Amino acid sequence: MRPIVTCEKPSFHRLIQGLTGITDSTLFPNHKNISKLLQLKYENYVSMLTSLIEKQNHICCTADIWSANNKSFMGTTCHFIDEFSHKRSSYVLSCRRIKGSHNYLNIYDVITDICDTYKIRTSKITHIITDNASNFGKAFCTFSKSSTIEYDPHYVGNLDELESDEDTSVDSDNKNNLPSPIDIEYTDVGQLLYESNGSDSTNFSLPNHLTCVAHSLNLIATIDVAKITNKNYVNISKQAFSKLSSFWNLLSKSIGASDKVFDICKVKFPVPIMTRWNSMFDAIQKVLLFKEKLTFVFVELKLAKLKNSEWVFWKSTVK
């Protein structure tokens, strides 16, 4: 993305003049006008979506973090079935900059700020879906009321141990001065935080959390499968992956090879991408659909052909 001030550069003016035929330079907007226009559109969008969400009883959200050009961002979306039209709707909530590390505190701050922007109550969000990253898990485990970690805010240790005769760390003369459980006043720290932040629980709690099924399956298909020690499986999988990887690498690097494959098969073959969790499945499935033509393609491209056992392996993989 380019900065807004780009609109004031002579090269940009020449581009607009060539595309539109405008000759009067006074008609070109400056960066201040564009900034005001963008801010107005953003405020109108927030107002529209806030009003729409307010009418819904339940919504579901997603959140993801990524980095680009040494900057980190969190993208969030919301999804719901309209209470009146019963149509499924999806909207972008934000693409917020995250300054600093992607730790659980920053995640909590950003999600809370987004909910405040659209006036979304925590109770309205059924779940927030994220990937399996540990920072998301810790954020929801720490700040979500639905955390599976149980603790007793009144627990201060085993007081009976303090009165044990075997406890050498307590002087016998001062043993009688120890407070009894009846004398101790218990304070719920969570309740204090709740009262100090007002009655709105969204000030310190996050909604329920779910991990993305596609990402979980991707972890199983990559990390867990790599732990298989069966020699027959390891050998055939290495050979099968190696041959298809050579095919995909050639398609992504050679325009000539890509054109030749298209001329024969009349389709484009997707190349697996690590950050697209189902891309490997889609790529293998597409290869299986054109098994006969790809056998000829592999000969034309001088690639090692897949054996029958390897074709069977791929069929069982995407079954």
Side-chain angles (χ1 to χ4, degrees), residues 6-7 9-24 27-29:
T6 303
C7 68
K9 293 186 177 181
S11 58
F12 183 80
H13 287 182
R14 290 194 297 269
L15 174 64
I16 299 301
Q17 287 174 343
L19 293 174
T20 63
I22 296 176
T23 57
D24 188 359
L27 297 177
F28 294 118

Side-chain angles (χ1 to χ4, degrees), residues 85-101:
S85 64
H86 303 293
K87 292 182 179 180
R88 185 174 62 180
S89 301
S90 299
Y91 292 91
V92 174
L93 289 176
S94 70
C95 181
R96 295 286 178 91
R97 172 78 190 281
I98 297 182
K99 295 184 178 181
S101 60

Side-chain angles (χ1 to χ4, degrees), residues 25-51:
S25 60
T26 59
L27 297 177
F28 294 118
N30 56 42
H31 74 280
K32 292 183 179 180
N33 291 336
I34 292 181
S35 297
K36 291 180 181 179
L37 181 61
L38 289 175
Q39 183 64 29
L40 180 61
K41 286 185 175 293
Y42 170 73
E43 292 174 355
N44 291 337
Y45 179 82
V46 171
S47 177
M48 177 276 298
L49 189 53
T50 300
S51 176

